[in-house]
Amino acid sequence: MSPEPQRKLSSSAGVAPAAAPSYRPATCTPPGAWRGAGYGQPFGATERTDTWWLMPLAQALGLGLLGLYATWAAFQGAHYEFGNYLSPFYSPLLKPAWWPISPAFLILWIPAGFRGTCYYYRKAYYRAFFADPSACAVGEPRKGYRGEVGFPWAIQNLHRYFMYFASILLVFLWWDVIRAFIFTDPDGSHYLAIGGGTLAILASNALLTMYSLSCHSLRHLVGGKLDCFSCAVAGGPRHGAWSRLSALNAHHMGYAWWSLFAVCFADFYVRMCSMGVFHDPMFVTFRHLFDYAPKISHFLL
Amino acid sequence: MSAGAVAGAIAGATAGAAAAAAGARVKAEATTAKREAVLRVYRGDASGGQEVEYQVPVETGMVVLDAIHWIQAHQAPDLAVRWNCKAAKCGSCSAEVNGKPALMCKSRMERFAPGEPIVVRPMKTFPIIRDLVTDVSWNFEVNQRIPPFQPRAGAEWKWQQHDVDRAQEFRKCIECFLCQDVCHVLRSHELKHQFAGPRFLVRIAGLEMHPIDGVDRTPFLKDSAGIGFCNITKCCTEVCPEDIHITDNAIIPLKERVVDRFYDPVQMVWRAITGK
Amino acid sequence: MEPFDTHEHEVLVIGAGGAGLRAAIEASAMGCSVGLVTKSLLGKAHTVMAEGGIAAALAHLDPQDGWQTHFQDTMKGGSFLNHWRMAQLHAQESPDRVRELEQWGALFDRTPDGRILQRAFGGHTWKRLAHVGDRTGLEMIRTLQDRGVHQGLDVYMEFTVTKLFTDGGRIAGALAYRRDTGRFVLFRCKAIVIATGGVGKAYQVTSNSWEYTGDGQTLAFEAGAELIDMEFLQFHPTGMVWPPGVMGLLVTEGVRGEGGILRNSKGERFMWKYLPEARRHEYAADEAEARAWLDAAVEGQQTEARRPPELSTRDNVSRAIYTEVREGRGTPHGGAFLDISYMPAERIKKKLPSMYHQFKELADVDITATPMEVGPTTHYMMGGVRVEPDTGAATVPGLFAAGEASAGMHGANRLGGNSLSDLVVFGRRAGAGAAYYAKGLTATPRIPDAEIEAEMRGLLSPFERASGESPYEVHRALQECMGTNVGIFRIEKDLETALATLATLKQRAARVRVEGGRTYNPGWHLARDLRNMLVVSEAITRSALLRKESRGAHSRLDYTGLDPALGKVNMCAKRSGDGMQVGPTPLPEMPAELKALFDAAPQPAGKAT
């Protein structure tokens, strides 16, 4: 090249760098070469003056208690139905003869896996149970750390498959919501009503749905994976869906907690009714709705 | 070092007493009454150091960086601090204020209870140079290794605002390295040789989501930047002074892209069949 | 001799802001080995503070725009003291430089049809500023930074250059110290590009950071280069003066447009007193009329009422605030009250969100509840190293300059948005000029050891003194001297006082003592920067003394009008012995075809395309 400063346009204008990208390690420094004062600080060591331990403690208690309840309820294998109510832990109700334990375990691995690999719950339990870290800028108990590299934690990468299964489950769960509205008289006729259990099951499913819709993996699949919306097929609608899901995604933590509470409560409510502890109140009753089309309710049930 | 620190502490005490006497004469104004703050500033270098206490008169609207400057000008002229714009736009004055990674120019003195000592320490993830200054050059080394922007061949230089909204969020980054400081992978576990850290995952996200960038950095993300080491505990997002949603908007979408390529069995089979 | 490291490059660029990075990229693209030295970390330069945008006649929104109109706007803004060729090159090349930034990965805001969006700005005839929200400078510096490091620049972060060496009048290298260790570093090179930015830290109230100490201007001056237009220092009339956390930060004119009222310490709305008689009829006669105008503006209605007096021209508002403070009616911290708190809080938050958040977050000042204290703030240096427009070459062979450190582009006053485009247009030209020069140089210049040793000894002398002032004291005194005597309004007597004070300050600066060691010692760094600030302060003061007129950013209370004779000269400062010689130097004549642009009436003349 013959450099000539008076020329009109730069030689470098618009020319992309010639070198092809090479995949070297992110740094070429040997381990430990950049150690700061934070390395190897003992568990809990920090200059923080706030109550940093409160949040991980609350999370551990919340997750622990709800997790214990869910496990206990799943093991019961009884009192999961009350009339037209079905506990969400047992839906869809599968009872193959060869299955030795509670039917809950046939389906419960789906929500457990969905939540267990959830990007929000991972944060919560890594902090609360693994102290990895328990709070920001606080010393950790363990020396070795591999993050989500390698077995077993690389399994977190299959979050989207749990999301697929959970979406199928949601269809059954919405079926249960419809059933929770349809009550049966002693004479076998059906009527529409709203009872306490109806509301509990409806709330649980609505929140589960919001939790699923705000999933990070779903957001990625509907549009997040695109680099350029306006260059893609159906880019406009995908951008619309992506931005709406992104708005929900900002509240993923809230939906995670509320849906967990709600689903446990729905099971608890059905269980208590079934055990005769609660008396299920009826709020609204539409007695003759199915008189003209009894087949509808038969089909739904 | 220790002799200097002691001298600083003594100077601090005398100046503090004088300022306190002056403070008594100041009549209460409509604004915040004049008061003094106690700053415990880390003084030292690679060979060691300790916190030295300084009394600083507090003015309305004062930030921790102002207090540090006051100490420099009146009590410890050699107090090392890195700063530039003092308006939260350059990201130079990163430190740990009461144990929390923060920009000193954004840490207002009013936020601390009167009488509560304010502890100012250098970032703990990087080797200390002196006082509040750490050696952050590792970050610049990482940046150099990220495959740079390269436009797709034949791309048209036209796109919509909604195509760049995402990447523009990542480009707000002022490189204060507070996210790098708070990230436990770098801070506690010292995996700087395997993990690029949140700042550079944000940078890669900005490149990957550039509408006409043509470079595929997914293998780099997995193998060189070590995205798998991130366990999304979100401390980076908590400390970001630019309110970039580092975890939700940058790291997790990148993790999903890595899943697409390396972990999703259906997509892997599909690619094997179609050859794409 | 004190130990030092040696690095060799063909081109050394001092300063890693927009101009320095662009120069380094260009020189490196032309095949030179380039060293880039910066006082801070890479990417922290003052360029990140630029918000508005980068001015370029892309004509995306206003098809009438073209380089001719941009050229005319720039020349008029600079009161025709600009170097016509620089203004022309700038107007012609800035669109290419903006597109180039985009091709290097910058993400500008978009028009609905997918092109780079442009916004309107003061002094620009058409919508011209390509921007990224309110962080255009950051986008630019990141883009250049990433382009640069991947192109193989050697970046020396946290190095301060203290002296340029010449060999037979040609640039031979530079001495620097590492801020982190205090160790000395010698750069051997054939050409040097100065891109060190401005001088604002000579003033107390400034929007500039600690780095802006006039290093480049001083290095060039001491190496024998000429500095021109040093009297043109842009002050913004409304910068914060209180609280200290936001001192110098700009308060947008929009605050006054939204109803902000200026009052003195007695609570008087003083702007009425300062309206020029000739234009008094354009402004409201009393509070009621001003309020009626504002109410109509809020409702978006037409009104017979005239504008409030606060919306007078910038220089007039500055003059008013200045006079109030001088006559003892200033606020406790030497400014005026700018009050918008009487307006509904919701409206303030909606119309001035960035102002509201800026004060709320950085200063804990709620502008919906308390008045702000404002005063003129030092903002931008139009003057600097005199350069040849096409190559950025200074008057010393091998020395080049670009950006705020160079002069000529903006004349007596800079238009908003023209600084970012200045950086890339002339950064690139200076880089190319330096590379071209370095490639043409066969012999490597030599640096005598004695000169290196003398400079190192001088740098270490503040450590050796058993007693002496703190450099912070001298700095405070300098800032006070410049703020009081060489501020936005100047008068012969004050300028003479300043010169005398600067002479004593120079002696005090030579005797400062520094505590501690050489490792990251800001006191020591300031001791050195002081010297630079004193040199540029003297150049500002001497140039201001000679310009006995008021033009652009230079306002003399004793010479309030324009002097046509002075409109044909630049003030030029040059080293003579150990002193400084300042005198007029003729402005280059604009060619006839460019002159014709201004004769074609009426303005604006975008149709010239």
Side-chain angles (χ1 to χ4, degrees), chain C residues 129-141:
Chain C
L129 268 69
H131 60 276
V132 188
D134 60 357
R135 50 163 198 88
T136 316
L138 177 66
E139 183 74 10
M140 186 163 128
I141 207 144

Side-chain angles (χ1 to χ4, degrees), chain C residues 474-494:
Chain C
V474 185
H475 189 205
R476 239 191 324 263
L478 168 67
Q479 290 184 326
E480 200 188 312
C481 163
M482 293 302 284
T484 325
N485 300 310
V486 202
I488 181 159
F489 292 102
R490 292 131 186 207
I491 194 161
E492 184 112 9
K493 185 169 64 70
D494 287 351

